[in-house]
Amino acid sequence: MVVLYHATFTSHLLHLPIVTHGYLFVDFFFVLSGFVITHAYAKRLESTDDVLAFLIRRFGRVWPLHAATLLAMIAVAALAAALLPAGLRTHLVEPFIAKWQPDTVPAVLLMLNGVGKLDAHFWNWPSWSIGSEFYTYALFAVVCVAARGRALVPALALAIGGLLGLITLARWNMDVTYDFGLFRCVYGFFCGHLLHRAFEAAPKPAGDRTAREALAVVATIAFVTQLGRSPAAVLSPLFFAWVVWGFAHHGGAISRFMTAAPLRWLGERSYSLYMVHVFALMAMVFAWRGVEYATGAVMGRVVRKDMGETVYVFDVGDPWIMDALTVVYVALALGLSAVTYRFIEVPARDWFNDLARRRTAAKRAPTPAA
């Protein structure tokens, strides 16, 4: 849904509210992340050594691909500046120039592009959420160790604090990224954490699980389409927590459908897809603008959105052609994600996981007798 949200093709999808409000599915991810990370790690974080091992694993999960996409985008900008004629260079990279600022590279590399350090989107702009997520991981680990099993109150305070930050600083706006993205992430993540605590404590709900899952899907479509750009969107983490609750016990027909091989394949590559789909969009823009430059035709336009962001909108007047280009864009993004998953994401994740295991084993090894 985020990939479709960033598509700028005047297709039949362009004005569907489920797509135009698709930014909210990042908040769904934050809630789901809080639930899953709590399930996997909350009872394993008991000391500062545990925190360090946890952060090594999480750093290895998010940073290597983030760094690789940043370096790749720098390379694209450098090659465009060095190899392309001035007129063609200006025409091709115009939609991206505002995002390619060399002095912002250190902050982006350190994952500070979602914590209010920068004043706009730069480079691989969806990566704002990666830093917010990583620093929220650190906050979660500290809470788990400091609270010693009594994390309910601090977790609740953090969730409420994130919500209050969005209400007061962002003025009820949920679509915040580089500026107040950390508030957004902390709010959603700790809603997911609190949900997992309730999930463990409460008895399994009775009733038809398929019906409960179907209700969650229908309610999600209704919430996103009807409230996605309203002040009520700040309630989305609470709503998505209820949705995750509806699926957490599994067993329904929709849960079984989601274990199908194609969806498992997509789920495994979802982080790569999130991080590289901008490159698919860039490739489409370069090809399209290259045809414009060669033929003299005008088949799109650069649009400046809120917060100074510029995007290139494809438009030939026929939405069916735009539908076909949207399919090409999604297919290209999926292909790139398969490559980065295999050659960057998995090897880096495994290396850092092994590093954490070796460090933990060394710490726990008995001291040789004198």
Side-chain angles (χ1 to χ4, degrees), residues 145-167:
V145 172
R148 299 288 183 178
R150 296 184 294 274
L152 176 61
V153 172
L156 184 61
L158 285 165
I160 294 173
L163 171 60
L164 291 177
L166 292 174
I167 290 174

Side-chain angles (χ1 to χ4, degrees), residues 35 199 209-210 212-213 244-253 255-256 259:
F35 185 91
F199 171 77
R209 293 183 180 180
T210 297
R212 187 164 59 247
E213 292 172 0
V244 173
W245 175 274
F247 281 92
H249 296 284
H250 305 288
S255 287
R256 292 192 295 273
T259 63

Side-chain angles (χ1 to χ4, degrees), residues 3-323:
V3 170
L4 291 176
Y5 171 71
H6 285 138
T8 55
F9 308 90
T10 53
S11 68
H12 289 95
L13 297 175
L14 183 64
H15 301 295
L16 291 178
I18 191 69
V19 174
T20 59
H21 302 166
Y23 76 96
L24 281 180
F25 287 101
V26 174
D27 300 287
F28 185 97
F29 166 75
F30 288 150
V31 173
L32 187 61
S33 178
F35 185 91
V36 172
I37 294 297
T38 299
H39 175 77
Y41 288 103
K43 295 179 181 178
R44 298 162 54 185
L45 293 169
E46 299 178 344
S47 67
T48 53
D49 286 336
D50 294 334
V51 170
L52 183 56
F54 168 74
L55 292 179
I56 289 172
R57 289 175 179 272
R58 302 322 300 166
F59 183 82
R61 183 70 181 90
V62 300
W63 186 82
L65 183 56
H66 166 66
T69 56
L70 173 61
L71 293 175
M73 201 162 282
I74 292 172
V76 170
L79 289 172
L83 302 180
L84 295 177
L88 180 58
R89 179 175 67 244
T90 301
H91 192 78
L92 288 183
V93 305
E94 183 182 0
F96 307 102
I97 288 175
K99 303 180 180 70
W100 291 350
Q101 300 298 322
D103 61 333
T104 65
V105 169
V108 176
L109 189 63
L110 294 173
M111 299 185 288
L112 296 173
N113 50 333
V115 298
K117 179 70 174 177
L118 302 176
D119 59 0
H121 285 300
F122 294 101
W123 302 101
N124 189 11
W125 60 92
S127 70
W128 70 268
S129 63
I130 304 310
S132 297
E133 181 82 4
F134 179 76
Y135 294 116
T136 301
Y137 290 152
L139 189 58
F140 161 78
V142 170
V143 166
C144 286
V145 172
R148 299 288 183 178
R150 296 184 294 274
L152 176 61
V153 172
L156 184 61
L158 285 165
I160 294 173
L163 171 60
L164 291 177
L166 292 174
I167 290 174
T168 57
L169 298 176
R171 300 183 179 181
W172 295 84
N173 181 16
M174 202 64 188
D175 191 10
V176 293
T177 52
Y178 62 84
D179 44 5
F180 303 115
L182 184 61
F183 286 104
R184 184 177 170 187
C185 183
V186 167
Y187 172 29
F189 185 95
F190 281 97
C191 280
H193 170 79
L194 293 168
L195 171 65
H196 190 272
R197 293 175 63 94
F199 171 77
E200 284 196 320
K204 291 183 179 181
D208 188 331
R209 293 183 180 180
T210 297
R212 187 164 59 247
E213 292 172 0
L215 176 61
V217 171
V218 172
T220 297
I221 295 172
F223 183 93
V224 173
T225 57
Q226 299 301 315
L227 302 176
R229 290 293 178 183
S230 73
V234 298
L235 301 177
S236 58
L238 299 175
F239 170 77
F240 288 137
W242 172 79
V243 173
V244 173
W245 175 274
F247 281 92
H249 296 284
H250 305 288
I254 299 176
S255 287
R256 292 192 295 273
F257 169 73
M258 292 175 69
T259 63
L263 294 180
R264 292 180 67 88
W265 184 95
L266 183 61
E268 290 170 350
R269 290 152 186 80
S270 58
Y271 178 54
S272 277
L273 180 61
Y274 180 76
M275 292 298 289
V276 305
H277 71 274
V278 168
F279 288 88
L281 189 61
M282 284 173 53
M284 299 287 288
V285 170
F286 287 171
W288 191 272
R289 301 273 281 177
V291 171
E292 284 185 332
Y293 185 81
T295 63
V298 177
M299 301 182 292
R301 57 192 183 278
V302 176
V303 177
R304 183 172 294 275
K305 300 175 68 177
D306 296 338
M307 302 179 290
E309 181 183 2
T310 57
V311 297
Y312 184 78
V313 178
F314 298 76
D315 187 7
V316 296
D318 187 339
W320 293 104
I321 295 177
M322 298 295 97
D323 290 343

